């Protein structure tokens, strides 16, 4: 995931300053928020395919799974099992609204500390769960933690980063998400044979990144932007000097003060966001997130072990295959860090659309032809499914994964940036929830065609990128409106609308001496 470039200058200017040890420590600590998110994404699929876990909490699924005659496509279809996975994202969706307010009033560091505490409470309930209620309440607490962390940590990262390294730090968060997923895949693999409590270990280890975030957050400073936003000007100035490692930070400081003044004048950022002239950025931010989820990525991330068992792999082989997929996810995200500012956003997204369309169609075809309701896939075919899943994940990880977060963070003008970005975060959580809740039922009713369903979405998003998405590579954020939106063949028609927004109203008020 993501980052939002709220800090002053918005990417336009370069105020100097080095990447100091302090910035590195702060970045490592904040990025553990990504690890928490990723670990959750990766752990649930493995845990929900473990027999000890199923027998204890979902005896019906356990029975179905072991009935030789049970329909391959439906053996995991159980609303409660899906709720175990998806409840976290619903909680995160609700929590992210509250978190954005706390983030502004109390600061990013405070919000991250609370994120880790909620998360730790959730881990304790989950690892020690005696019944389904404890399990679901634990997931909800984890979700609140994720909602808080996902709001605060990316913001924190962008605000402490020197302007010219902000892109790299942005994708660092997503990189941590993928590392978290991989760690979860590997841990699932090793604990699957520890009976009967392996699943407790898998869920309990989630406490490690949360503990690092909590302890680490005692060491780090608040961001200068947040301090200045909350009128702690002197502290803001001294923090800025400390993290930049230079004494002359006047230009950046003034820019921060100016930006926070401007942002203060906009009394109703959400109302501003609803105006016609914000439509292009809002549509793009939401569409990027909705499309990111409709690539079907989380069908794989959450349910890869379940899916691999569906095609006939035994438990170990399926968990091992998921770990390989996790490794490819990390590696390809690193590729994105390296090439995104050279190749541009659109070429990566389009290449990925082609790769995802081909792989999903091929997976759908193999399953349709060879995976009947009962019996396993022939071994050769099952291996092909794993290879195709790897190529599919590879293309997602260098495109829609990081860019689904990066693009919404770099398109809004400052006055609507945080509000606009919170729409992106909540759209992601909402659609993550929907896919998590629906995928196993879709697999049961649509069978192999579920992959054609996602492939059709990939085709639509390819057209969307070609026709409606502007290229934002190398454009300073604060020049985005003039250089991108006002020039785009379609979106420019929304840009001439300079209606009475909050800012002009405030300017008038100021001019009148109020
Ligand atoms: C998405 C997650 C997904 C992950 C996979 C993120 O960008 O938001 O939903 O599971 O990438 O690496």
């Amino acid at each position: 995931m993501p980052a939002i470039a709220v800090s002053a200058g918005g990417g336009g200017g370069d105020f100097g300053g080095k990447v100091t040890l302090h910035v590195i420590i702060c970045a490592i600590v904040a990025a553990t928020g990504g690890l928490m998110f990723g670990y959750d994404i990766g752990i649930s699929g493995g845990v929900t395919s473990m027999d000890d876990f199923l027998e204890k909490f979902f005896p019906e699924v356990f029975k179905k799974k072991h009935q030789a005659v049970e329909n391959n496509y439906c053996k995991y279809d159980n609303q409660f099992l899906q709720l175990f996975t998806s409840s976290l994202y619903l909680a995160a969706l609700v929590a992210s609204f509250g978190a954005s307010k706390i983030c502004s009033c109390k600061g990013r560091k405070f919000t991250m500390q609370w994120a880790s505490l909620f998360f730790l409470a959730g881990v304790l309930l989950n690892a020690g769960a005696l019944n389904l209620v404890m399990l679901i309440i634990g997931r909800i607490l984890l979700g609140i933690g994720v909602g808080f962390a996902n709001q605060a940590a990316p913001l924190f990262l962008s605000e402490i980063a020197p302007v010219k390294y902000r892109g790299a730090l942005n994708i660092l968060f997503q990189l941590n998400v993928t590392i978290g997923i991989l760690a979860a895949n590997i841990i699932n693999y090793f604990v699957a044979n520890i009976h009967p409590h392996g699943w407790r270990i898998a869920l309990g280890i989630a406490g490690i990144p949360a503990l690092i975030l909590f302890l680490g957050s005692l060491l780090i400073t608040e961001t200068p932007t947040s301090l200045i936003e909350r009128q702690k000007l002197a502290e803001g100035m001294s923090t800025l000097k400390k993290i930049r490692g230079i004494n002359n930070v006047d230009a950046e400081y003034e820019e921060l003060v100016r930006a926070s003044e401007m942002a203060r004048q906009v009394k109703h950022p959400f109302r501003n966001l609803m105006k016609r002239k914000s439509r292009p950025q809002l549509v793009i931010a939401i569409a990027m997130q909705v499309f990111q989820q409709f690539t079907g990525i989380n069908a794989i991330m959450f349910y890869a072990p379940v899916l691999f068992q569906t095609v006939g792999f035994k438990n170990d082989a399926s968990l091992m295959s998921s770990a390989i997929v996790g490794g490819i996810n990390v590696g390809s995200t690193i590729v994105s860090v390296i090439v995104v500012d050279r190749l541009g956003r659109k070429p990566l997204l389009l290449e990925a659309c082609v790769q995802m369309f081909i792989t999903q169609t091929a997976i759908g075809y193999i399953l349709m032809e060879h995976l009947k309701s009962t019996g396993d896939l022939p071994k050769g075919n099952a291996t092909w499914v794993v290879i195709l899943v790897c190529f599919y994940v590879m293309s997602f990880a260098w495109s829609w994964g990081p860019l689904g977060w990066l693009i919404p963070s770099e398109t809004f003008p400052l006055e609507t940036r945080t509000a606009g970005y919170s729409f992106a975060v909540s759209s992601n959580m909402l659609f993550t929830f929907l896919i998590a809740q629906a995928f196993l039922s879709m697999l049961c009713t649509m069978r192999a065609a579920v992959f054609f369903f996602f492939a059709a979405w990939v085709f639509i998003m390819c057209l969307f990128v070609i026709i409606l998405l502007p290229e934002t590579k190398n454009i300073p954020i604060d020049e985005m409106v003039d250089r991108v939106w006002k020039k785009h063949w379609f979106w420019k028609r929304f840009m001439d609308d300079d209606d009475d927004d909050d800012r002009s109203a405030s300017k008038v008020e100021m001019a009148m001496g109020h």
Side-chain angles (χ1 to χ4, degrees), residues 78-221:
N78 177 296
Q79 286 300 315
F80 287 108
L81 186 64
Q82 295 180 76
L83 193 63
F84 167 75
T85 301
S86 66
S87 52
L88 190 154
Y89 302 93
L90 200 56
L93 162 70
V94 178
S96 64
F97 291 116
S100 78
K101 191 114 196 95
I102 295 173
C103 225
S104 305
C105 305
K106 299 273 182 195
R108 296 40 166 151
K109 180 175 154 173
F110 180 89
T111 315
M112 287 194 291
Q113 273 167 348
W114 275 94
S116 59
L117 291 177
F118 277 119
F119 200 88
L120 279 172
V123 169
L124 286 180
L125 269 183
N126 262 354
L130 300 173
N131 50 46
L132 196 56
V133 175
M134 281 176 83
L135 209 56
I136 301 286
I137 295 178
R139 289 291 282 177
I140 291 172
L141 285 170
L142 292 179
I144 299 176
V146 166
F148 272 50
N150 282 17
Q151 185 74 28
L155 236 149
F156 181 94
L157 279 172
S158 290
E159 289 177 349
I160 55 152
V163 173
K164 63 180 172 198
Y165 299 107
R166 197 166 51 218
L169 280 178
N170 182 308
I171 298 187
L172 191 72
F173 194 84
Q174 167 75 11
L175 188 61
N176 270 274
V177 173
T178 61
I179 294 172
I181 296 174
L182 175 63
N185 293 156
I186 295 171
I187 284 160
N188 272 336
Y189 178 73
F190 283 109
V191 302
N193 293 322
I194 303 179
H195 301 288
H197 294 306
W199 62 271
R200 290 191 193 275
I201 302 174
L203 295 178
I205 289 176
I208 296 176
L211 209 57
I212 300 175
L213 183 61
F214 180 73
L215 295 176
S217 69
L218 300 176
L219 296 177
I220 60 179
T221 46

Side-chain angles (χ1 to χ4, degrees), residues 41 174 178 181 292-293 297-298 301 329 396 401 405 428 432:
I41 293 171
Q174 167 75 11
T178 61
I181 296 174
Q292 186 203 57
Q293 290 306 311
I297 187 64
N298 282 326
M301 290 299 142
N329 195 18
F396 173 87
W405 295 101
N428 181 277
T432 305

